[in-house]
Amino acid sequence: MSMEKKETMADYESELEKSFRKIKEGDMIEGIVIGVSEDEVILDLKYYTQGVIKGEDVSGDPNFSILNNIREGDSIEAMVVSLDDGHGNIRLSRKEASMKKGWEMLKEYMEEEKRFSVKVNGKVKGGVVTYVEGIRGFIPASHIGLYYVEDLDSYVGKSLDVQVIDVDEEKKRLVLSAKALAKEREQEERNHRISMMVPGTNMEGIVESMMPYGAFIKLKNGLSGLVHISQMSMKRIGSPSEVVKIGDKVKVKVLNTNNNKISLSMKALEEASETEEDSGQTFQYKSEGGATLSLGDLISKLNIQ
């Protein structure tokens, strides 16, 4: 006896409902890719007719390739451009759908200060351009890295981690920045190098700037540290300029690296030097006749019976 299930009208209810639904221009609809060529993508919309996306309506990104990026079976969301493309199909635009969603997404990215990666597509006056969800974005030369970038060609084709700093859908303006993230990476690297420094280490450096509270020393490892005025001399001083001037080469001792700040001391080396001198002094005996003998010489000359 056959146990095959008999199909009923209820089994087709969902499909029938979709096929008779009203579709109008501007609607966002989803379909399954059933055909791909260099010039167009054909979608099954579960409707009485198919959807067609022409090549120019697939993506706003000039690097997007239909044959490389779209496969049969893919699910694609697109916007209805026309109910009849001249051949009885519904004309759709994936580009418009992506941009509509993209602008909303980018607004959220800006609010959340979200970080994401983009590929630089080319250079223009004052910066470089990239694409995010098919939307053209601009990265000013002053926001490509920590400092203003003159050689823009060297960044074409590279990937950058960026944040949205300005987004305006009405004016079709999207401005991105890699500067803040580059600054964070530099700070992380600097903090790591500071953490590797050992308190008590003697180093050399150049006085690069002075403040009323002390002098900043550029060390040979490229890092900078502060010699507080209280650590500049064993003598009481009122200003760092009494001890050093900008450009002076100085020797310092690393006191600590608390809170990723390098505290240095010149006084510690001065104290250490004085201690060494004190411990190395030879006791001198001065005779009444003016001859001076060391204690060692005096003992050696005594004839102890």
Side-chain angles (χ1 to χ4, degrees):
M1 181 177 178
S2 176
M3 300 297 292
E4 289 183 6
K5 180 182 176 182
K6 291 184 178 181
E7 295 178 337
T8 66
M9 203 63 182
D11 296 318
Y12 297 100
E13 190 174 333
S14 176
E15 298 300 321
L16 284 170
E17 189 174 319
K18 289 180 181 178
S19 67
F20 286 109
R21 72 188 188 278
K22 294 289 184 181
I23 293 178
K24 60 183 183 299
E25 292 181 7
D27 281 355
M28 301 285 283
I29 59 176
E30 193 170 318
I32 302 299
V33 177
I34 57 174
V36 182
S37 70
E38 292 183 355
D39 303 318
E40 64 182 20
V41 177
I42 301 174
L43 300 182
D44 177 7
L45 304 175
K46 303 298 181 185
Y47 199 58
Y48 70 87
T49 187
Q50 297 174 336
V52 175
I53 307 174
K54 297 297 183 182
E56 63 268 25
D57 295 323
V58 173
S59 176
D61 186 341
N63 293 318
F64 189 93
S65 166
I66 295 179
L67 295 179
N68 291 337
N69 297 100
I70 295 180
R71 297 282 184 272
E72 288 190 16
D74 287 353
S75 177
I76 289 182
E77 187 174 29
M79 180 183 287
V80 177
V81 176
S82 171
L83 297 178
D84 189 344
D85 67 344
H87 300 284
N89 300 309
I90 296 177
R91 182 164 180 177
L92 305 168
S93 174
R94 176 183 177 276
K95 179 170 69 176
E96 289 298 322
S98 295
M99 291 183 70
K100 184 178 179 66
K101 291 175 63 179
W103 284 113
E104 293 303 316
M105 179 189 72
L106 290 165
K107 290 173 185 175
E108 291 179 6
Y109 279 8
M110 184 171 177
E111 291 174 3
E112 299 169 1
E113 298 183 349
K114 184 179 177 65
R115 307 171 182 186
F116 55 98
S117 180
V118 296
K119 183 177 181 181
V120 176
N121 291 84
K123 70 169 186 175
V124 292
K125 183 178 180 181
V128 295
V129 293
T130 185
Y131 288 84
V132 184
E133 296 296 321
I135 298 171
R136 184 179 184 273
F138 175 64
I139 308 175
S142 59
H143 282 267
I144 295 175
L146 285 172
Y147 310 103
Y148 188 92
V149 173
E150 296 284 354
D151 182 17
L152 297 174
D153 288 312
S154 65
Y155 281 87
V156 176
K158 288 187 176 180
S159 293
L160 293 174
D161 291 329
V162 298
Q163 289 177 301
V164 179
I165 58 173
D166 187 19
V167 56
D168 190 323
E169 182 179 0
E170 187 176 335
K171 295 181 180 179
K172 305 298 181 188
R173 183 175 65 215
L174 171 63
V175 184
L176 308 169
S177 173
K179 188 172 186 176
L181 302 184
K183 189 173 183 179
E184 280 186 19
R185 284 193 296 271
E186 183 191 54
Q187 187 63 48
E188 288 173 1
E189 181 184 345
R190 179 180 180 275
N191 291 346
H192 174 69
R193 292 170 63 197
I194 290 175
S195 69
M196 300 301 289
M197 295 180 69
V198 180
T201 303
N202 295 339
M203 305 184 75
E204 286 189 351
I206 303 293
V207 179
E208 61 177 350
S209 64
M210 291 194 296
M211 300 295 287
Y213 52 80
F216 286 94
I217 312 299
K218 186 77 170 181
L219 302 171
K220 286 190 174 182
N221 61 6
L223 299 172
S224 294
L226 172 68
V227 179
H228 191 268
I229 190 169
S230 63
Q231 291 294 325
M232 299 195 76
S233 175
M234 291 178 65
K235 297 183 296 183
R236 187 179 181 83
I237 60 173
S239 169
S241 60
E242 295 178 32
V243 181
V244 296
K245 63 180 184 296
I246 293 176
D248 280 355
K249 181 183 289 187
V250 295
K251 291 183 179 181
V252 294
K253 181 185 288 289
V254 179
L255 291 181
N256 62 69
T257 56
N258 298 338
N259 300 317
N260 293 314
K261 295 179 181 178
I262 305 172
S263 296
L264 306 170
S265 175
M266 294 166 59
K267 184 173 75 171
L269 291 180
E270 192 178 341
E271 290 172 339
S273 177
E274 187 172 280
T275 301
E276 288 175 7
E277 288 178 5
D278 289 342
S279 63
Q281 283 183 347
T282 302
F283 175 80
Q284 299 290 315
Y285 171 78
K286 187 174 183 180
S287 69
E288 292 182 358
T292 303
L293 295 173
S294 70
L295 181 59
D297 290 337
L298 179 61
I299 294 173
S300 67
K301 290 181 180 295
L302 291 175
N303 183 13
I304 302 175
Q305 300 297 328

